[in-house]
Amino acid sequence: MTTYNNLIDGKWVPSASGQLFENRNPADDRELVGLFQKSTRADVQCAIDAAQRAYTSWRLVPAPRRAEILLRASQLIAERKESLARDMTREMGKILDETRGDVQEAIDMTAFMAGEGRRQYGQTAPSELRDKFAMSVRQPLGVSSVITPWNFPMAIPSWKIAPALVCGNTVVFKPATLTPLSAVNFVKILEEAGLPPGVVNLVTGGGDEVGDALTAASEVKVVSFTGSTGVGRTVSEKTAPSFKKTHLEMGGKNVIMIMDDANLDLAVDGCVWGGFGTSGQRCTAASRVVVHEKVYRTFLDRFVSRVKRLRVGNGLESEVEMGPVVSRAQLETVARYVDIGRREGAKLVCGGNVLSSGSYAHGYFHEPTIFADVAPTMRVAQEEIFGPVVSVISCRSFEEAVAIGNGVEYGLSASIYTQDVNRAFAAMRDLYTGIFYVNAPTIGAEVHLPFGGTKNTGNGHREAGTAALDVFSEWKSIYVDFSGKLQRAQIDTE
Ligand code: NAD
């Protein structure tokens, strides 16, 4: 059985704790994927010290040179895409097509950020004074803490680490305890691509110990966190006293709105993919579907008959369409919400059960589940379940659909199916989310556009695209006076 170490200051080292944790396959928990370091605050401090030392030289490496390392990393990830995807399916369960997509996002993001090595554009502006030059440039912040969830084990780390590095920051990275292997794989590739020691450090372990130390440390200048809203709030409270720049990407309760003029077959395809892709464990999962009453019955019949045919199983098998959920705790959460939905009076029209016999016996499998006739205020329509459970809600009008769509605490992604361009544009304007789709489900973001959400999903920052540079850099405005005399802004006019 392979034991994986932390990466600190360019060396793969065990934790000072001498303790390990297990990483098991959620499709068959008899399979131990690997043993990982259960790290301590002392390990985190070593990693932060290394990152701080590395920062003094890394920030001075020209950005195009930093970018060359990212480009090499992108090529190495592409060469190893298949084995990286297989490792990811083994440790978190989603099907191979999706883990390949996750790895592809890391390829795309590292390549995109490599391009930013030759851009990171600032501004030049005319000065109000003669013989004076005015410009703004991006400056790195220093040591960055990167804390990530398990549902996109390579994509999300790449969304944070690639822009952090191209801007000239150094990184201490703590992945979710459920997906440390993909984190090790990603960091090994960065190392192989030529990253100097200490520029990226990896410390595995729990949120309470490792995560907490990474948010509290005074040497850390920026924290980039993706995870649940509850933990995000804790992170925010921890970083506030020291005014650390804090980037939070949190939960979602995303909606697909289907109007009476929609192409219903297309909408069904979108709801199956949006609701049950990654077993519903995407922050952008379409866990609510709001359907115009005129097409409600027809849509529901077609949706249910499609979902009943979904093949659930081990994501490594090519015919499987939906894998397990990530852990026993997640399975219990899903089962609890199915129970809550039933008790609230939602109508269970598909699934609803944990799968535990035969080939499912050793995994965390749940039937794809649909609740119909759901009231927008029910808990299953309000709270993030993060599993294969979709709530279908009827509405009487476009305006009501928009109100229901907006009527949750989250604001990550929303979508509309309609043939009416006026409604499509009104919805684009009126849904208060960070991401919006027309005639496509709530999932499908691309790396070169900003990604993030409003309300309790985010705190105003965005990742991906050039927006990610704003998280990992600060503006410095520079004025150069070449007049040889004192010129006073706002006072001298000649
Ligand atoms: P989580 O909040 O439980 O954990 C996220 C990370 O934070 C993990 O690495 C965890 O170990 C760490 N952590 C836990 N306690 C901590 C603490 N006190 N201090 C610092 N770090 C701590 O989330 P999860 O279960 O891994 O992921 C699922 C959640 O992530 C869902 O809510 C989902 O919506 C969200 N998510 C959001 C996005 C987005 O972009 N908005 C993307 C993916 C996932």
Side-chain angles (χ1 to χ4, degrees), residues 366-389:
H366 196 281
E367 287 178 332
T369 297
I370 302 174
F371 279 117
D373 303 348
V374 174
T377 49
M378 287 179 182
R379 285 184 64 190
V380 286
Q382 286 288 324
E383 298 172 17
E384 186 182 49
I385 301 171
F386 228 55
V389 182

Side-chain angles (χ1 to χ4, degrees), residues 53-304:
R53 284 193 300 277
Y55 179 63
T56 55
S57 48
W58 180 246
R59 75 183 183 92
L60 300 177
V61 174
R65 299 280 93 81
R66 300 196 288 252
E68 283 163 11
I69 297 173
L70 290 179
L71 193 57
R72 269 199 298 280
S74 176
Q75 288 156 350
L76 289 170
I77 302 168
E79 281 166 22
R80 294 170 203 173
K81 181 172 172 178
E82 195 58 25
S83 76
L84 295 170
R86 295 189 85 82
D87 275 356
M88 196 185 292
T89 295
R90 281 173 58 226
E91 74 173 340
M92 68 76 67
K94 65 185 173 185
I95 62 171
L96 264 180
D97 263 356
E98 294 190 50
T99 50
R100 288 183 190 119
D102 193 307
V103 175
Q104 186 62 43
E105 263 187 63
I107 296 167
D108 295 343
M109 184 56 86
T110 42
F112 177 80
M113 285 300 162
E116 284 307 314
R118 289 188 184 272
R119 283 188 292 267
Q120 294 186 46
Y121 296 134
Q123 299 145 317
T124 58
S127 167
E128 65 189 51
L129 292 164
R130 200 177 290 237
D131 297 336
K132 189 178 173 195
F133 193 85
M135 61 186 161
S136 63
V137 296
R138 289 187 186 274
Q139 298 265 290
L141 292 118
V143 178
S144 315
S145 290
V146 165
I147 302 173
T148 56
W150 45 263
N151 64 338
F152 280 87
M154 198 170 289
I156 291 179
S158 78
W159 295 356
K160 299 178 186 305
I161 293 173
L165 294 180
V166 83
C167 287
N169 306 281
T170 55
V171 171
V172 182
F173 168 31
K174 187 208 103 57
T177 45
L178 291 166
T179 52
L181 179 57
S182 296
V184 167
N185 288 342
F186 181 53
V187 167
K188 274 192 175 154
I189 284 177
L190 289 173
E191 192 188 26
E192 198 179 324
L195 212 58
V199 173
V200 170
N201 304 274
L202 173 76
V203 185
T204 56
D208 288 351
E209 179 99 9
V210 178
D212 186 74
L214 278 173
T215 53
S218 60
E219 301 91 333
V220 169
K221 300 302 174 208
V222 53
V223 175
S224 182
F225 164 90
T226 298
S228 60
T229 297
V231 175
R233 185 167 287 116
T234 305
V235 168
S236 182
E237 286 164 2
K238 275 273 161 172
T239 58
S242 57
F243 307 116
K244 278 187 189 63
K245 195 168 189 181
T246 305
H247 162 226
L248 305 171
E249 294 293 341
M250 300 171 287
K253 190 73 187 174
N254 313 288
V255 67
I256 291 179
M257 303 180 297
I258 300 171
M259 295 297 99
D260 50 352
D261 63 343
N263 174 337
L264 287 189
D265 289 329
L266 187 66
V268 168
D269 284 345
C271 291
V272 173
W273 177 225
F276 300 104
T278 319
S279 309
Q281 302 168 114
R282 290 189 181 218
C283 51
T284 50
S287 53
R288 296 182 296 153
V289 178
V290 178
V291 192
H292 196 287
E293 60 183 2
K294 284 191 193 153
V295 294
Y296 183 85
R297 280 291 142 208
T298 318
F299 165 81
L300 189 62
D301 289 348
R302 289 188 207 174
F303 184 38
V304 168

Side-chain angles (χ1 to χ4, degrees), residues 2 26 62 126-127 164 197 216 230 271 288 309 317 322 325 340 350 406 491:
T2 310
S127 167
C271 291
R288 296 182 296 153
R309 293 201 307 270
E317 290 162 18
M322 192 182 99
V325 297
I340 289 169
C350 178
N406 279 331
I491 294 173

Side-chain angles (χ1 to χ4, degrees), residues 25-29 92 150 178 278-281 312-313 322-340 342 351-357 359-369 371 384-389:
N25 182 344
D28 183 343
D29 65 7
M92 68 76 67
W150 45 263
L178 291 166
T278 319
S279 309
Q281 302 168 114
V312 180
M322 192 182 99
V325 297
V326 74
S327 63
R328 184 165 303 286
Q330 202 67 27
L331 189 62
E332 283 163 6
T333 302
V334 173
R336 196 172 67 247
Y337 270 104
V338 170
D339 195 42
I340 289 169
R342 276 198 181 108
N353 298 304
V354 169
L355 294 162
S356 54
S357 59
S359 61
Y360 299 125
H362 299 283
Y364 312 132
F365 293 96
H366 196 281
E367 287 178 332
T369 297
F371 279 117
E384 186 182 49
I385 301 171
F386 228 55
V389 182

